[in-house]
Amino acid sequence: MPATTTMGASAAPKTVGGAPMYPSKDIVDNAVNSKDHTTLVAAVKAAGLVDTLKSAGPFTVFAPTNSAFAMLPAGTVDTLLKPENKGTLTTVLTYHVVPGRWDAMALTEAIKAGGGKATLKTASGGTLTASMRGNDVIVSDAKGGSAMVTTSDVYQSNGVIHVVDHVLLPG
């Protein structure tokens, strides 16, 4: 999907996971309705991040789909969801959150200004690197993995969500 900003004041809300994503709702209130993000929502709840992602923000969330979580090694998600691994789970999830409202236009402008790459500081204190592959925004993690933005600019009352096809891992 091209990385363009098309959301206008009168535009219908984008649909993610079969559910409309209303710009008047916060990140959590929209995400809970997406059939493609049930694993992410369960993880956010297990990590105790619901109140954070319901706060004013703004936040940019690179939201992995259920199929992205399923690509992790067998047992990884179950292990992360255990109470004794809450700290690690929190770090992984907040690695997908960048303070501020980074819509596709802002990301592509930062990538161009950075000579093809933009470094984003995550809420976990790590960094993500955004770049372009054709018209697609690619987000790379500290371990050398990458995710493609498959749905961009899903506007929320407290930020923006970009759906990604892989889980990003901190260093």
Side-chain angles (χ1 to χ4, degrees), residues 50-156:
V50 170
D51 288 344
T52 300
L53 292 176
K54 286 181 78 57
S55 69
F59 304 107
T60 299
V61 178
F62 294 96
T65 59
N66 293 342
S67 59
F69 279 102
M71 287 186 235
L72 293 171
T76 301
V77 173
D78 290 337
T79 299
L80 284 172
L81 291 175
K82 291 181 178 176
E84 62 268 26
N85 295 321
K86 183 177 179 181
T88 302
L89 177 63
T90 300
T91 299
V92 169
L93 292 175
T94 56
Y95 190 66
H96 290 79
V97 178
V98 175
R101 187 181 297 260
W102 288 88
D103 65 7
M105 183 179 290
L107 281 171
T108 55
E109 287 174 1
I111 291 165
K112 287 176 188 170
K117 293 184 188 247
T119 301
L120 307 171
K121 188 81 164 169
T122 71
S124 71
T127 57
L128 294 170
T129 303
S131 61
M132 300 294 296
R133 185 185 310 140
N135 287 330
D136 296 321
V137 173
I138 305 298
V139 183
S140 301
D141 65 25
K143 293 194 178 284
S146 64
M148 182 174 73
V149 174
T150 58
T151 302
S152 63
D153 292 345
V154 185
Y155 292 102
Q156 317 290 303

